[in-house]
Amino acid sequence: MSRMLPGTRALRTFEAAARHLNFTRAANEVGLTPAAVSYQIKEIEDQLGVVLFTRTSRSIQLTPAGVVLFEAAADALDTLQRAAGRARRMARGVAHLRISLGARFATNWLLPRLPQFRVANPGLELTFDITDEVRDFDADDVDAAIRFGAGNYEHARSERLFDTVVVPICSPKLIEIGPRLETPRDLLHHTLCYVDCKVDGMVWPNWPMWMAAAGIDDFDDSRCVAFSDSSHVVQAVIDGAAVGLAELTMIANDLSQGRLVRLFDIGVSVAQEYAYHLVYPKSSSQDPRVLAFREWMLNETAQPSHSPKRFV
């Protein structure tokens, strides 16, 4: 009689423990306690009749038998995950497209335009995977993605949508109560906020960069407030607490509805090779759902944006 093999949950636990060589980190990943991970590993060892880990007081290591099972488990779980993703896409049928995109892009750009998409594509329903992580189209059950970067993705096609320009913004209330904002140098009398981050090692446009573009070479950024997320910058500006730097395309609705005001005509562009891209598998190049979404996205991003009055 063949030996019983461990179930998928047990294999996931073993694979995580073998990859991390740490039961605590594996437990955090699979949602168990370290004691439960240790118990499951012991169960697998008893079931197979082999020792998978050597344990000391400070570390664990895979045995030769453990290495063999780890490689096989990783391959098997990957194959199953990809098959499950393909099965879910098949079950969705031809009237359903699943898009992966970041929360900022979804909130500020795509969701406000969904009514126009539904009018243009009444037979196609969109659902969303909200994340900034790069997704595997097969394993993660995603048909297409919108990502910011250089557009180089293996086994995928990438369509450049639009570049990014960062501009100074404030609330109408701040203009009313002062201090005045008539020239770029007047910004030195205000609290300034921005997003402090890097993309592939590239520093996101900040106030020293903008001041340099404005010809101000004696700027002291020690009073600037740095946020890790652009939504915090925008909220601080709307509340009237600061002048901020934000992506022009991502705040178009706030500008057109008067919640924000763009200051001056000076913007700082992100490095030329970086932009927002529509990404989809090469194997989906003739998928009518993907083609419909691609055509609509390219048409939308080609439209001239509304240009509200700037305060100068």
Side-chain angles (χ1 to χ4, degrees):
M1 180 180 291
S2 300
R3 286 184 182 273
M4 291 289 291
L5 292 174
T8 302
R9 182 176 177 83
L11 284 179
R12 283 183 62 241
T13 302
F14 165 69
E15 189 275 337
R19 179 162 31 86
H20 291 294
L21 291 177
N22 184 290
F23 286 176
T24 299
R25 287 198 291 269
N28 291 335
E29 181 176 316
V30 300
L32 297 173
T33 65
V37 169
S38 180
Y39 179 79
Q40 283 207 357
I41 298 300
K42 186 65 170 61
E43 263 197 335
I44 296 172
E45 290 178 325
D46 291 343
Q47 207 170 2
L48 297 179
V50 298
V51 176
L52 301 173
F53 293 94
T54 56
R55 299 164 175 85
T56 68
S57 60
R58 295 188 176 182
S59 67
I60 61 172
Q61 297 293 327
L62 285 167
T63 64
V67 171
V68 170
L69 188 63
F70 169 54
E71 292 174 349
D75 287 344
L77 290 170
D78 181 66
T79 298
L80 284 171
Q81 191 170 0
R82 290 175 182 278
R86 290 195 296 271
R88 284 192 291 267
R89 285 205 305 278
M90 290 173 65
R92 286 204 301 267
V94 297
H96 190 165
L97 193 70
R98 185 164 172 78
I99 308 296
S100 180
L101 71 168
R104 178 179 55 183
F105 194 98
T107 301
N108 297 313
W109 196 92
L110 184 57
L111 294 184
R113 290 171 170 81
L114 270 187
Q116 295 97 298
F117 176 83
R118 288 173 176 147
V119 170
N121 299 274
L124 184 57
E125 186 64 31
L126 299 182
T127 58
F128 303 105
D129 167 56
I130 305 297
T131 180
D132 287 314
E133 294 180 5
V134 175
R135 290 302 204 191
D136 183 305
F137 290 111
D138 278 343
D140 295 315
D141 183 25
V142 169
D143 297 302
I146 296 167
R147 290 290 177 259
F148 182 84
N152 301 319
Y153 302 99
E154 191 175 4
H155 307 305
R157 295 193 183 279
S158 180
E159 307 274 359
R160 192 180 183 101
L161 297 175
F162 48 77
D163 302 336
T164 295
V165 176
V166 173
V167 300
I169 55 172
C170 74
S171 70
K173 178 170 62 176
L174 192 63
I175 293 173
E176 294 175 5
I177 65 176
R180 67 180 186 180
L181 282 164
E182 297 176 359
T183 71
R185 187 165 286 277
D186 291 336
L187 290 167
L188 304 182
H189 304 293
H190 288 265
T191 300
L192 306 178
C193 63
Y194 68 102
V195 178
D196 183 17
C197 72
K198 292 183 178 180
V199 179
D200 296 336
M202 175 201 67
V203 177
W204 194 256
N206 54 33
W207 278 110
M209 295 179 187
W210 190 90
M211 291 294 180
I216 298 174
D217 56 10
D218 58 346
F219 175 63
D220 177 7
D221 67 348
S222 61
R223 293 178 56 200
C224 290
V225 179
F227 291 103
S228 60
D229 191 287
S230 63
S231 63
H232 300 148
V233 172
V234 172
Q235 190 59 54
V237 173
I238 289 176
D239 291 344
V243 176
L245 286 176
E247 294 175 71
L248 183 58
T249 308
M250 293 295 110
I251 57 169
N253 281 341
D254 291 313
L255 292 173
S256 64
Q257 294 175 23
R259 288 190 295 270
L260 295 173
V261 177
R262 177 181 175 180
L263 298 170
F264 316 116
D265 287 319
I266 302 166
V268 178
S269 297
V270 177
Q272 185 176 4
E273 64 269 29
Y274 288 90
Y276 286 95
H277 294 82
L278 172 64
V279 186
Y280 53 93
K282 290 181 179 178
S283 59
S284 298
S285 296
Q286 301 305 315
D287 186 324
R289 302 169 306 156
V290 172
L291 290 177
F293 185 69
R294 171 188 177 275
E295 181 179 2
W296 180 79
M297 285 291 297
L298 292 178
N299 284 338
E300 283 294 308
T301 55
Q303 299 296 323
S305 61
H306 176 68
S307 299
K309 292 182 179 178
R310 297 170 179 81
F311 187 81
V312 180

